[in-house]
Amino acid sequence: MSFTGFPPNVHSVPVPSPLFGPLLEQINDLDEWKCILRVIWLLHQKKGHPSFVTLSEMFADQILVTTLSSDDSVDYGRVKRALSATVSR
């Protein structure tokens, strides 16, 4: 399936500006980028404060798990490594 553009009235998710500066220069791992962007999206869906995402939620997120898996097999180790890199940063 190819991307055909954004539909009308698409919702936006605020992204912290350092992602477009210092972090963009530092992060070379595509899995870490995918993880960071998905965490930002998931946090934006939360109501109340403090906002947080649990490891269980990340493992249950089909978008993240699918994008970090290959050959139709779920690779939770790969997801965990990307999350670990994200948290460490």
Side-chain angles (χ1 to χ4, degrees):
M1 180 161 100
S2 66
F3 181 70
T4 59
F6 297 109
N9 302 321
V10 70
H11 294 283
S12 296
V13 176
V15 177
S17 60
L19 281 177
F20 299 105
L23 289 174
L24 185 62
E25 292 176 326
Q26 295 171 17
I27 301 171
N28 296 316
D29 183 55
L30 184 57
D31 289 352
E32 185 178 353
W33 268 115
K34 290 177 179 183
C35 184
I36 288 169
L37 292 174
R38 197 62 183 167
V39 167
I40 290 170
W41 183 86
L42 288 167
L43 286 171
H44 187 67
Q45 307 309 305
K46 299 279 183 165
K47 303 287 188 233
H49 292 282
S51 294
F52 60 91
V53 179
T54 67
L55 182 59
S56 296
E57 288 175 295
M58 297 302 291
F59 282 161
D61 184 81
Q62 280 306 122
I63 299 291
L64 182 66
V65 170
T66 300
T67 196
L68 294 182
S69 296
S70 57
D71 302 327
D72 296 330
S73 62
V74 176
D75 188 349
Y76 290 108
R78 187 173 169 188
V79 174
K80 197 167 186 175
R81 283 188 298 278
L83 285 168
S84 180
T86 300
V87 170
S88 294
R89 190 170 302 282

